[in-house]
Amino acid sequence: MEHISIMLKETVEGLAPRSDGVYVDGTLGRGGHSSYLLSFIKEGKLYAFDQDRQAIIESDQRLAKISDRYELIHDNFIHIPQQLRSRGIFEVDGMMFDLGVSSPQFDDGERGFSYHYDARLDMRMNQEQALDAYYVVNNYSKEDLIRIFYKYGEESFAKSIAQRIEVHRQQKPIETTLELVDIIKEGIPKKFHAGKHPARKVFQALRIEVNHELDVLEQMLEECLDMLAVGGRMSVITFHSLEDRMVKESFARRTTPPKLPKNVPLLAKDMECNYRLVNRKVIVADEEELEANPRSRSAKLRIIERIK
């Protein structure tokens, strides 16, 4: 399936890009959002990050046709502050993040992200790291699997699925995605197999565990928000409730004045926050985009601005 950038204009234009600004794309993917943002930059520069080396290679070819005002960095977005500081960049005018797995990663059956294709259990966004889904499924304790499936997948049948995995891997290693799908189905009552795919939540949980997605997201939000210049903005697209809750709470901490006793003498300016929400109501894809790209259905966009 062709990769279609989700909420492209809303995400990029939500940064209010300037031609001389310094911007960061923390999740380059196949370069859709970066390409549009780069078209606004004439004197400034774009720094784009991705831990998938193939994404870097393909996006470089795409961006080079637009401008040379960019640098691609093969790294996880958790290292954005260090990477920028090493280049003499201490504040930026905007950052954007399109979280989750890109369409090419899902559609490349060999990457092991999808429960629709048979492939070795993998799910690594950075294929140079050691930990993969095969190791998690075959080596984590039953208790750890239950914790992961429940915490990261919000899977109601986490215990029974983990028990079935334990039984099967004692006989032989669980090697492929479709092997795992069949085992997951054993752990879920048949009446719950209809509707959304029964393996969806477990595959999400494994992907989050393998790539430490929530851990790095929490740290990235805190450190990268500090790097925004006054007037700088951050756009974040999330795809499931765990990510969205984390972004929402992080933004709320930055935009909500502290609660203090009424008898504490403070000036109004002392109660002002350094950040404001650009969109108080979460932005979702419109009907036209939903029809063109069904994967946008679960996407939510939040934008924050530094005001002092």
Side-chain angles (χ1 to χ4, degrees):
M1 182 181 291
E2 179 186 0
H3 176 64
I4 304 173
S5 298
I6 290 174
M7 290 188 276
L8 176 64
K9 288 190 174 182
E10 295 90 335
T11 303
V12 174
E13 294 178 12
L15 298 178
R18 305 195 327 261
S19 65
D20 61 346
V22 176
Y23 295 93
V24 171
D25 183 350
T27 50
L28 173 64
R30 265 46 182 186
H33 289 98
S34 273
S35 294
Y36 188 43
L37 178 55
L38 190 61
S39 70
F40 289 90
I41 300 172
K42 307 305 178 185
E43 297 86 32
K45 192 161 185 177
L46 169 66
Y47 296 90
F49 291 74
D50 206 293
Q51 55 186 330
D52 185 338
R53 194 173 292 280
Q54 186 61 32
I56 294 284
I57 294 170
E58 293 183 21
S59 293
D60 193 21
Q61 298 170 355
R62 182 174 185 177
L63 296 179
K65 298 176 182 178
I66 301 170
S67 166
D68 63 355
R69 308 296 299 179
Y70 70 92
E71 180 179 350
L72 305 186
I73 301 170
H74 179 232
D75 205 347
N76 188 293
F77 59 50
I78 198 173
H79 299 131
I80 286 174
Q82 300 95 304
Q83 289 280 9
L84 293 182
R85 285 195 291 267
S86 72
R87 291 163 170 78
I89 307 297
F90 298 94
E91 63 177 24
V92 299
D93 299 295
M95 295 186 177
M96 59 184 180
F97 300 88
D98 180 0
L99 304 177
V101 181
S102 68
S103 296
Q105 288 173 329
F106 263 126
D107 296 329
D108 182 352
E110 295 182 0
R111 299 293 295 271
F113 285 104
S114 176
Y115 36 75
H116 294 300
Y117 304 104
D118 198 20
R120 183 183 184 278
L121 286 168
D122 192 331
M123 301 192 191
R124 293 172 297 169
M125 292 183 183
N126 178 1
Q127 293 187 291
E128 297 173 16
Q129 75 176 40
L131 182 65
D132 60 9
Y134 176 90
Y135 183 88
V136 174
V137 168
N138 288 288
N139 292 279
Y140 276 29
S141 69
K142 181 181 73 175
E143 291 71 27
D144 280 339
L145 290 178
I146 294 170
R147 174 184 57 82
I148 291 166
F149 298 161
Y150 183 76
K151 181 179 179 181
Y152 295 153
E154 300 178 296
E155 173 56 73
S156 301
F157 300 101
K159 184 175 181 180
S160 59
I161 293 169
Q163 288 172 336
R164 296 308 304 163
I165 288 174
E166 186 174 50
V167 169
H168 279 270
R169 71 187 186 185
Q170 286 174 351
Q171 300 169 13
K172 75 174 199 62
I174 301 166
E175 298 187 4
T176 72
T177 51
L178 294 190
E179 278 184 72
L180 180 59
V181 167
D182 289 339
I183 294 168
I184 293 169
K185 289 179 178 178
E186 290 178 15
I188 299 176
K190 287 188 177 180
K191 65 180 180 179
F192 294 101
H193 288 196
K196 293 183 178 179
H197 198 287
R200 176 178 56 91
K201 293 180 178 181
V202 168
F203 270 60
Q204 172 182 299
L206 288 171
R207 193 198 78 219
I208 290 173
E209 173 66 17
V210 167
N211 297 289
H212 307 293
E213 291 178 34
L214 296 184
D215 294 334
V216 298
L217 175 58
E218 183 174 26
Q219 183 177 334
M220 177 279 289
L221 288 169
E222 293 308 306
E223 295 185 1
C224 286
L225 283 169
D226 288 338
M227 292 199 72
L228 288 178
V230 174
R233 293 183 175 187
M234 178 187 288
S235 299
V236 184
I237 302 173
T238 62
F239 289 89
H240 57 75
S241 60
L242 299 175
E243 290 175 341
D244 185 58
R245 189 181 309 132
M246 190 171 288
V247 174
K248 181 179 179 180
E249 291 175 355
S250 178
F251 284 11
R253 286 193 295 271
R254 299 286 182 136
T255 57
T256 305
K259 292 184 179 180
L260 298 173
K262 293 182 180 180
N263 59 349
V264 175
L266 286 174
L267 299 175
K269 66 178 182 179
D270 295 324
M271 295 295 291
E272 294 176 354
C273 297
N274 293 341
Y275 298 79
R276 75 172 184 92
L277 295 176
V278 175
N279 56 310
R280 292 199 169 274
K281 184 177 180 181
V282 68
I283 300 171
V284 296
D286 60 25
E287 289 300 321
E288 183 179 349
E289 180 166 3
L290 289 173
E291 185 174 345
N293 184 12
R295 286 177 175 168
S296 66
R297 187 167 301 280
S298 59
K300 294 181 178 180
L301 170 64
R302 298 183 186 274
I303 306 173
I304 192 172
E305 178 183 6
R306 185 164 194 165
I307 55 177
K308 70 173 185 175

